Structure formats: structure tokens, C-alpha cells
Amino acid sequence: MAKSLDAEMAAIEAEELKLAERRKAHQKKLRDTAIDRVEKVGLLKLPLDRLERLMEAVKTLGMDEVEKRLTAKA
């Protein structure tokens, strides 16, 4: 009985490892997609000083406030 319980626990741990790897791969896909979208709208073409100022403004105001202000002007 103990061996079957140990085998079951080993199988569960193997599934957990596979799931963790799938989650990691999914997070990488999300990150790559986000970078692609940022690149498509031209933000990565900005000079570094302008991009840094923009990112500092986002950091200072917060993403929700930046989104609200941008959609209000659009």
C-alpha cells in the first residue's frame, strides 16, 4: 500500500512540475505578445530619454490614471 501511495505522490508531483512549466511558458507568451504590441505602436522607436520620461510618468501617475487620461483625450 505504501508503495502505491508513494507512486501516486510521485505522479502528482510530476503533474505539478509539468503544470508549472506550462504556466511559465504561458507567461513568456504573454510577455512576448505585450512586447510585440508595444513595438507595433512605435514606443520602442522613441529616443531613450523620451521613453524614460514616459515610463516615469506612468510610474508616478499609475497605470489606471494614465489609461483614464489617454482615453479621455482620444
Side-chain angles (χ1 to χ4, degrees), residues 29-40:
K29 285 180 188 176
L30 289 174
R31 184 178 186 281
D32 291 346
T33 300
I35 291 170
D36 287 344
R37 289 181 183 174
V38 167
E39 191 171 21
K40 282 182 183 177

Side-chain angles (χ1 to χ4, degrees), residues 3-19:
K3 285 190 178 187
S4 65
L5 290 176
D6 289 341
E8 184 178 356
M9 183 53 75
I12 291 170
E13 289 171 353
E15 288 177 22
E16 287 175 342
L17 180 60
K18 286 172 72 174
L19 184 58

Side-chain angles (χ1 to χ4, degrees), residues 46-73:
L46 286 174
L48 186 56
D49 60 330
R50 288 184 65 196
L51 184 59
E52 286 176 341
R53 285 195 310 267
L54 180 62
M55 294 300 102
E56 187 60 35
V58 171
K59 184 178 175 184
T60 301
L61 295 171
M63 198 61 227
D64 292 337
E65 181 64 23
V66 171
E67 184 177 13
K68 183 174 101 177
R69 290 181 184 195
L70 289 173
T71 55
K73 292 182 181 184

